[in-house]
């Protein structure tokens, strides 16, 4: 419960900040050009019976704008006078045009008002990335220095990879760290460079591997090879009960040879699949009863192998830890001065945006639709403990997503309004108000459908159906 609340608080703080600044972008340009803003709200405020839906509201003296917080935390809005938006205020549009209304302003001013939110979110993301680099620097483990190499799945091995290969880079450049970018580079590469058995060599790749399939594969297409050497044992765990100790090396599990901790977790994954067929407690106990072979040294330093019987917990845990990547390799930190961090942050943010845009093509596939996530999926991206570094990194990433998604040419989004304004500027003709209202309804319907699908996916994943 504590983990849920911590993630919820981080999610709400990030979304609240991003929505306020996004709508503030529209508000700034509207005020700059003398357009009246009727309402400025964090979250939506649909009325319920006699309640207007506001948790909090106030209107400063001599101001046309009512500020407030609504009860429905699905975003926010800036209600601009004389504009057809998600409020569907058609009554105002039936009145004679006023000079302080959105519709009375030149197209270029209306265009700036509409892109104001996206512009703020994009610039905010670049600024946050720059400040992250300035304050924390860029800490990572270079892939080429992961001297134990990588562990590959069957699909990767069919392309010529072998367990233990040390990855260097592709025809597109050298790998930096182990992240989604490494997967993306491999998926688009025609050649990958690596070190095998101490010798540098290259593999030829097709250049169009399915990135989504690579990321979703179980076991993973590629992951850093981690030795199956126990670093610590949890008290009162099955591992402690059978006498597992620090520096014991797992060499077999249920008769299957174990060459790495990666292989061990794969075998646990196989047991997890088998557990879905357990119908009784006896079935579950039989599946959870396993044998584990460890290599260890005795008091005289002679290595021996011990075979131990262990009963895993119902969630298939044994109760030991191995070293993390940071415990195996020395992380590298690149520090930035204030003025160095600005261009570095811009480059970092641009790469994040480019990668996100590049991956959008997978959304229109069956697997891509299943991978869509709603509020639960987004919230789970935040760490289970309060970590300002990860909070700001996630906030910047969400700001990038919010900017990109809002600029898509879908009616009801900023991008839909921008599309119609560009049409007006090119043809010198305004789309009719009837058309704009209908387009707004269509766009709003599309957004509701996407939101339902994304959040339904969250529920199905939580129930174990996806």
């Amino acid at each position: 419960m504590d983990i849920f609340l911590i993630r919820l608080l981080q999610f709400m703080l990030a979304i609240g900040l991003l929505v306020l600044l996004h709508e503030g972008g529209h508000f700034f340009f509207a005020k700059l050009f003398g357009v009246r803003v009727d309402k400025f709200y964090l979250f939506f405020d649909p009325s319920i019976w006699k309640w207007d839906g506001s948790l909090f509201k106030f209107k400063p003296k001599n101001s046309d704008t009512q500020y407030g917080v609504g009860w429905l935390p699905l975003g926010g809005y800036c209600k601009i006078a004389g504009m057809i938006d998600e409020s569907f205020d058609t009554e105002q549009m039936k009145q004679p045009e006023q000079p302080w209304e959105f519709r009375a302003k030149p197209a270029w001013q209306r265009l700036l008002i509409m892109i104001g939110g996206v512009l703020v979110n994009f610039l905010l993301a670049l600024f946050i990335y720059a400040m992250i680099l300035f304050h924390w620097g860029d800490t990572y483990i270079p892939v080429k220095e992961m001297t134990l190499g990588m562990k590959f799945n069957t699909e990767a091995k069919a392309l010529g990879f072998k367990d233990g290969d040390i990855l260097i880079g592709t025809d597109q450049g050298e790998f930096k760290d182990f992240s989604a970018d490494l997967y993306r580079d491999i998926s688009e590469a025609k050649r990958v460079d690596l070190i095998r058995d101490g010798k540098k060599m290259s593999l030829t790749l097709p250049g169009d591997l399915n990135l989504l399939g690579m990321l979703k594969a179980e076991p993973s297409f590629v992951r850093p090879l981690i030795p199956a050497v126990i670093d610590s044992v949890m008290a009162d765990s099955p591992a402690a009960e059978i006498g597992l100790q620090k520096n014991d090396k797992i060499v077999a599990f249920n008769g299957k040879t174990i060459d790495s901790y990666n292989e061990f977790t794969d075998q646990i994954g196989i047991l997890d699949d088998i557990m879905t067929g357990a119908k009784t407690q006896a079935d579950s106990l039989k599946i959870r009863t396993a044998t584990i072979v460890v290599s260890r040294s005795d008091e005289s330093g002679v290595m021996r192998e011990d075979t131990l019987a262990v009963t895993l917990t119902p969630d298939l845990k044994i109760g030991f830890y191995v070293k993390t990547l940071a415990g195996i390799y020395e992380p590298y930190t690149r520090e930035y001065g204030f003025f160095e961090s600005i261009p570095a942050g811009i480059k970092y943010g641009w790469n994040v945006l480019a990668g996100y845009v590049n991956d959008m093509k997978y959304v229109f596939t069956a697997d891509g639709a299943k991978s869509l996530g709603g509020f639960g999926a987004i919230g789970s991206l935040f760490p289970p403990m309060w970590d300002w570094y990860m909070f700001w990194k996630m906030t910047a990433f969400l700001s990038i997503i919010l900017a990109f998604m809002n600029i898509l040419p879908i009616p009801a989004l900023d991008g839909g309004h921008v599309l119609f304004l560009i049409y007006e500027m090119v043809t010198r003709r305004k789309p009719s108000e009837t058309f704009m209202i209908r387009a707004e309804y269509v766009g709003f319907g599309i957004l509701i459908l996407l939101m339902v699908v994304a959040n339904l996916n969250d529920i199905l994943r939580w129930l174990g159906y996806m």
Side-chain angles (χ1 to χ4, degrees):
M1 187 64 177
D2 288 343
I3 290 175
F4 172 78
L5 289 176
I6 289 171
R7 282 181 164 151
L8 178 63
L9 285 172
Q10 291 180 89
F11 173 70
M12 294 298 290
L13 179 58
I15 292 298
L17 176 66
L18 295 180
V19 169
L20 276 176
L21 292 176
H22 177 91
E23 300 303 334
H26 295 306
F27 184 89
F28 171 78
F29 282 105
K31 289 296 187 179
L32 182 66
F33 299 128
V35 176
R36 194 177 77 187
V37 177
D38 295 325
K39 296 179 75 173
F40 185 93
Y41 263 62
L42 173 64
F43 305 149
F44 294 111
D45 59 333
S47 58
I48 301 177
W49 195 38
K50 295 182 179 180
W51 180 42
D52 68 359
S54 300
L55 296 176
F56 167 77
K57 64 180 179 179
F58 76 100
K59 190 173 185 179
K61 189 177 180 180
N62 300 323
S63 174
D64 296 316
T65 307
Q66 177 178 293
Y67 302 88
V69 177
W71 66 269
L72 187 61
L74 298 181
Y77 69 99
C78 178
K79 188 177 183 304
I80 297 172
M83 175 184 168
I84 298 170
D85 58 11
E86 62 270 17
S87 68
F88 299 106
D89 186 359
T90 55
E91 290 302 315
Q92 185 182 62
M93 302 303 292
K94 294 177 182 178
Q95 304 302 316
E97 184 179 289
Q98 302 297 326
W100 36 260
E101 289 186 326
F102 176 84
R103 56 181 167 171
K105 301 299 178 181
W108 68 270
Q109 291 185 6
R110 285 181 278 133
L111 181 63
L112 286 175
I113 292 171
M114 291 316 307
I115 66 173
V118 168
L119 181 63
V120 167
N121 280 134
F122 184 61
L123 293 178
L124 174 66
L126 300 183
F127 175 75
I128 292 176
Y129 281 130
M131 292 303 98
I132 287 174
L133 293 176
F134 172 62
H135 185 75
W136 285 285
D138 189 11
T139 299
Y140 60 95
I141 299 169
V143 173
K144 65 181 181 181
E145 293 183 13
M146 295 182 183
T147 52
L148 296 176
M150 299 285 165
K151 181 78 173 173
F152 299 91
N153 69 4
T154 303
E155 289 75 15
K157 289 176 180 176
L159 293 168
F161 292 102
K162 289 182 64 176
D163 290 341
D165 285 347
I166 302 171
L167 299 179
I168 299 173
T170 70
D171 49 332
Q172 301 179 53
E174 188 175 282
F175 294 126
K176 180 190 173 188
D177 56 357
F178 187 81
S179 64
D181 287 338
L182 180 140
Y183 276 80
R184 188 176 293 109
D185 289 347
I186 292 176
S187 72
E188 298 173 351
K190 296 292 184 69
R191 187 197 79 241
V192 62
D193 302 321
L194 53 87
I195 295 175
R196 178 179 296 169
D197 299 327
K199 297 179 181 179
K200 188 174 181 179
M201 60 173 293
S202 298
L203 296 178
T204 300
L205 297 181
D208 59 351
L209 296 176
N210 186 309
L211 175 61
L212 188 60
M214 293 169 66
L215 290 169
K216 294 182 68 176
E218 291 290 343
S220 301
F221 183 90
V222 56
R223 54 209 157 137
L225 193 151
I226 298 176
V229 177
I230 295 171
D231 187 55
S232 62
V233 176
M234 294 175 60
D236 302 321
S237 67
E241 291 174 5
I242 63 173
L244 289 184
Q245 301 172 4
K246 181 181 174 69
N247 295 325
D248 284 351
K249 181 179 181 181
I250 300 173
V251 295
F253 181 76
N254 279 350
K256 172 71 176 179
T257 300
I258 299 297
D259 61 6
S260 62
Y261 182 66
N262 312 80
E263 184 64 38
F264 177 78
T265 57
D266 291 345
Q267 293 304 309
I268 294 296
I270 291 172
L271 284 187
D272 191 36
D273 291 338
I274 297 173
M275 279 286 282
T276 59
K279 292 182 170 56
T280 66
Q281 189 172 1
D283 291 338
S284 170
L285 182 61
K286 183 178 180 180
I287 294 168
R288 293 189 287 116
T289 302
T291 58
I292 184 169
V293 180
V294 297
S295 174
R296 54 176 44 152
S297 61
D298 58 21
E299 293 179 358
S300 61
V302 177
M303 299 301 296
R304 72 175 193 271
E305 289 187 357
D306 291 343
T307 301
L308 308 168
V310 61
T311 301
L312 282 64
T313 63
D315 57 352
L316 301 180
K317 296 291 189 297
I318 293 183
F320 68 83
Y321 299 102
V322 298
K323 286 185 177 180
T324 63
L325 282 179
I328 299 172
Y329 305 108
E330 183 71 28
Y332 167 77
T333 299
R334 164 83 187 274
E335 295 185 349
Y336 292 85
F338 180 79
F339 293 106
E340 286 180 301
S341 70
I342 303 300
I346 292 172
K347 181 180 179 181
Y348 190 102
W350 186 258
N351 288 340
V352 170
L353 176 62
Y356 185 77
V357 172
N358 182 66
D359 297 344
M360 279 296 292
K361 60 179 176 283
Y362 294 105
V363 172
F364 303 102
T365 65
D367 285 340
K370 291 178 182 177
S371 69
L372 287 173
F375 299 117
I378 296 172
S380 67
L381 295 175
F382 287 92
M385 60 190 71
W386 199 281
D387 182 328
W388 282 111
Y389 170 78
M390 288 304 301
F391 170 79
W392 287 117
K393 198 169 184 179
M394 272 304 305
T395 301
F397 179 61
L398 292 177
S399 195
I400 287 274
I401 293 176
L402 188 59
F404 176 73
M405 295 302 293
N406 263 285
I407 204 61
L408 291 176
I410 298 174
L413 290 178
D414 297 341
H417 292 281
V418 168
L419 178 66
F420 297 138
L421 281 166
I422 292 174
Y423 167 82
E424 178 185 340
M425 294 170 76
V426 171
T427 63
R428 304 291 181 180
R429 290 185 300 172
K430 274 188 179 183
S432 70
E433 290 181 4
T434 301
F435 171 81
M436 292 294 290
I437 292 170
R438 289 175 179 173
E440 196 77 12
Y441 275 114
V442 170
F444 201 71
I446 293 172
L447 295 181
I448 293 296
L449 178 62
L450 288 173
M451 191 175 295
V452 169
V453 170
N455 285 285
L456 180 61
N457 284 350
D458 283 352
I459 295 172
L460 292 176
R461 276 190 285 266
W462 181 66
L463 294 174
Y465 290 108
M466 288 182 64

